[in-house]
Amino acid sequence: MEVFQAIKQRRAVKHYHADAEMPAEDFDKIMSAVILSPTSYNIQHWRFVRVTDKNQRDKVKSAAWGQAQVADASELVILCADINAWNDRPERYVINSPQETQDMLLPMMDAFYNGKEQIQRDEAMRSCGIAAQTMMLAAKELGYDTCPMVGFDREELARLIRLPQGYVIAMMIAIGTAEKSAHPRGGQLPLNEVLAENYF
């Protein structure tokens, strides 16, 4: 599938064939693409929780106010972010860079994030957002549908997945074989309403 075709056809699908399974190689292919997503300073804030246990899926479904796709989709991935990844052995993020690049980037990274909690969180959430789009387009390329979700009790979900201190849940994504197509797009704003040039 061409990228533009995948973008046009990707929709938030709510109804999935509960008996459809995703081959391991497809899941691996999707996730291998996801971890190539760009992040600021190559920090790679994202951490992914793949929920495979049926009982755990049912508990997550309850935390998501009973939304069927949580339990019915072939895969459910919770996208989390390590807010403090910028300060967790940051030399790992530039290990393959020339020494002069490392000597420049590591102090820059510290200066950019140190003591700036809002920027740390914003960056982590941006990283998850980019990874989420990669995940959904990669899944579409392989013929799967997806549903990005933020409708859940964050505290309960954090408890269920034992979210570590200093981490945040960005969203979760259901991936599977659609049982029913998504509704037509609700109403896209025209490009000339959302695109400005040079200034508002």
Side-chain angles (χ1 to χ4, degrees), residues 188-199:
Q188 296 302 118
L189 297 175
L191 186 58
N192 64 8
E193 190 173 328
V194 298
L195 175 64
E197 190 166 337
N198 297 323
Y199 47 81

Side-chain angles (χ1 to χ4, degrees), residues 4 47 60 149 196-197:
F4 284 104
R47 302 294 183 265
V60 173
M149 302 176 62
E197 190 166 337

Side-chain angles (χ1 to χ4, degrees), residues 26 28 36 38 141 180:
D26 283 357
D28 291 344
L36 296 177
E141 165 72 19
K180 284 173 32 178

Side-chain angles (χ1 to χ4, degrees), residues 39-44 93-94 105 108-109 112-113 123:
T39 58
S40 182
Y41 292 99
N42 198 37
I43 292 173
Q44 304 161 73
Y93 313 137
V94 294
L105 287 178
M108 282 177 62
M109 194 185 311
F112 193 80
Y113 296 108
E123 199 70 76

Side-chain angles (χ1 to χ4, degrees), residues 178-190:
E179 185 176 53
K180 284 173 32 178
S181 298
H183 295 298
R185 291 187 186 275
Q188 296 302 118
L189 297 175

Side-chain angles (χ1 to χ4, degrees), residues 128-147:
C128 281
I130 295 170
Q133 186 70 354
T134 301
M135 184 181 295
M136 291 185 287
L137 293 179
K140 195 63 188 171
E141 165 72 19
L142 294 177
Y144 297 101
D145 284 294
T146 54
C147 185

